[in-house]
Amino acid sequence: MTAFPAFSTDMILPAIPSLALLWNKPLSVVNLILIGFFVTYGFSLLFYGPISDRYGRKKPLIAGIVLYIIASILCATANGATALIIFRIMQAAGAAASASLSMAMTKDIFAGNERQRILAYIAVIMALAPMFAPIVGGWILAYLTWHWIFIAQGAMGLIGLLGVIRTPETLKEQTIVPISKVMNSYWGLLLNTNYIIMVLVMSVSLLPLYSFIAGSSALYINKFGMTEQTFSYFFAFNALALMAGSMSCLKLTDRINPKHLMTAGFAGIAIGAVLILTVGHYGPWAFAFPMALITYSIGISRPPSNHLVLEQVHKDAGAASSLLIFTYFTLGAVGMWLVSQEWMERMQILGTITLVCGVIVFAAWMLLQKRGIGSEN
């Protein structure tokens, strides 16, 4: 389930430059198939969380995946940018069930350090998906048309649906209050100052990654002159760095205080941004290595960050995880929009976004530790 978002976004990345040429649209328009997906995905998360707290995790999951399968088939039939954007919005509304409820299920089943280790395993899977997704998309484009990318996603959804049907319900104590009052749980979360601060800080730390996702194909294919297949390998290299960061967190979390891993990760984001702005334009590897440092830093800091956010709440886990991922994707969509603009050369935009975010997050994290929020519970 955690692989759904990455496969849904990254498989289509190699086709974006060619779609812009096919439909004679600027990148800022074609990237709406990513931005529209992310925005809708984020808002849909806000509904799945409370609904799953009321009715259990399984029923909303099945409904969301069925919608995802139908929308994937419709995406494959799109004959223009507008139609594809609309169908992608539908696809996002279905895919949103997977990410929010998979994280809520970890809260149902695991606790403490065990949950932190499980979140690290999930982060590894989430890194594997974007590593393979553009490669699959690139090879589909080598032999078939872009329509088959969405047919493959529909098949993936069908496999996921069969798995969910066989999965037992993980929520043991469902809330008995009306769903209208369950939605009010978000109000309680908004009043939880520590939770909101942690959500915002951790969301800003991911904004450079989403900016890279939206701008990567234009950088590698248009700027460096790569083929769609070669681009997919460079993108996979970046995803490998994300997975390496998550695996490093998994190995180090028992020996190093997680808050030190977060500190190192946030510092690495800023350092990588400086390298992109200074040497990134010299060639694809000169850009790829600093970007890999950034994604490695995100990978090593994200599992303890998610754990620390969830530690700030003691009930309404579905709503809490939904609001967390909603913020991730909403700010991610902002990053995608920013990197799609023509204010300056695209690599400079990406480097500037990353540097600003890295400095803000590192400084905020230092202040949070002084307030005691970063202390282990």
Side-chain angles (χ1 to χ4, degrees):
M1 292 187 294
T2 58
F4 269 44
F7 268 97
S8 300
T9 55
D10 297 348
M11 281 182 70
I12 194 63
L13 290 180
I16 286 180
S18 60
L19 288 177
L21 292 175
L22 175 65
W23 293 328
N24 193 28
K25 300 289 185 181
L27 182 66
S28 58
V29 172
V30 177
N31 263 350
L32 288 176
I33 67 176
L34 299 176
I35 298 172
F37 183 96
F38 270 61
V39 172
T40 306
Y41 189 96
F43 276 101
S44 299
L45 293 172
L46 298 178
F47 294 94
Y48 282 114
I51 289 173
S52 74
D53 288 333
R54 175 65 178 84
Y55 298 107
R57 314 300 187 201
K58 191 169 181 177
K59 292 179 182 178
L61 267 175
I62 292 175
I65 295 176
V66 168
L67 176 59
Y68 177 88
I69 295 171
I70 295 173
S72 297
I73 296 172
L74 291 175
C75 286
T77 66
N79 56 5
T82 301
L84 185 56
I85 291 168
I86 293 173
F87 296 147
R88 285 278 289 175
I89 288 173
M90 292 176 57
Q91 190 186 39
S98 62
S100 64
L101 300 189
S102 61
M103 185 172 291
M105 289 164 70
T106 65
K107 179 81 171 179
D108 296 338
I109 304 171
F110 306 103
N113 289 334
E114 187 178 12
R115 186 198 307 144
Q116 189 163 310
R117 283 194 293 270
I118 295 300
L119 287 172
Y121 280 118
I122 290 177
V124 171
I125 296 171
M126 293 179 69
L128 280 173
M131 185 168 67
F132 288 108
I135 293 177
V136 174
W139 279 105
I140 289 175
L141 292 174
Y143 297 101
L144 301 167
T145 64
W146 62 267
H147 306 81
W148 285 91
I149 292 176
F150 294 106
I151 294 175
Q153 291 178 5
M156 179 188 70
L158 181 59
I159 295 172
L161 178 63
L162 296 176
V164 170
I165 291 174
R166 293 172 55 87
T167 301
E169 177 60 57
T170 62
L171 184 62
K172 304 305 179 184
E173 296 182 6
Q174 300 176 8
T175 179
I176 59 174
V177 299
I179 189 64
S180 58
K181 292 187 177 180
V182 173
M183 295 297 289
N184 290 336
S185 58
Y186 285 121
W187 179 248
L189 290 172
L190 292 174
L191 295 178
N192 185 336
T193 305
N194 286 349
Y195 169 80
I196 291 299
I197 291 175
M198 290 298 302
V199 165
L200 290 175
V201 171
M202 303 316 162
S203 298
V204 171
S205 72
L206 290 176
L207 197 148
L209 178 61
Y210 295 126
S211 300
F212 169 75
I213 290 173
S216 58
S217 59
L219 281 170
Y220 282 118
I221 296 175
N222 295 340
K223 179 178 176 63
F224 296 125
M226 290 184 173
T227 65
E228 294 159 340
Q229 289 73 39
T230 305
F231 155 71
S232 70
Y233 298 139
F234 270 81
F235 192 91
F237 171 73
N238 190 79
L240 180 63
L242 184 65
M243 183 181 68
S246 299
M247 294 182 68
S248 297
C249 177
L250 187 63
K251 298 294 184 182
L252 296 174
T253 190
D254 290 331
R255 289 177 286 172
I256 300 177
N257 193 316
K259 71 178 182 180
H260 295 326
L261 295 178
M262 293 170 63
T263 302
F266 297 152
I269 294 173
I271 294 171
V274 172
L275 292 174
I276 285 178
L277 290 172
T278 53
V279 302
H281 62 280
Y282 285 114
W285 285 112
F287 169 69
F289 279 114
M291 194 65 225
L293 171 61
I294 294 168
T295 50
Y296 177 87
S297 300
I298 292 173
I300 203 171
S301 61
R302 185 172 182 180
S305 300
N306 287 342
H307 171 71
L308 192 57
V309 171
L310 293 178
E311 282 292 297
Q312 309 307 314
V313 298
H314 303 290
K315 62 177 183 177
D316 299 324
S321 59
S322 292
L323 185 57
L324 170 63
I325 304 175
F326 162 76
T327 311
Y328 282 170
F329 277 82
T330 301
L331 288 184
V334 172
M336 288 181 162
W337 178 80
L338 289 172
V339 83
S340 300
Q341 303 308 305
E342 304 295 338
W343 297 326
M344 61 181 78
E345 199 270 331
R346 205 167 307 283
M347 186 176 295
Q348 291 180 316
I349 297 176
L350 177 61
T352 302
I353 291 172
T354 306
L355 181 61
V356 171
C357 291
V359 171
I360 290 175
V361 169
F362 184 82
W365 174 235
M366 293 295 102
L367 292 175
L368 287 173
Q369 290 184 89
K370 290 183 178 180
R371 291 183 52 183
I373 296 181
S375 301
E376 288 295 307
N377 291 333

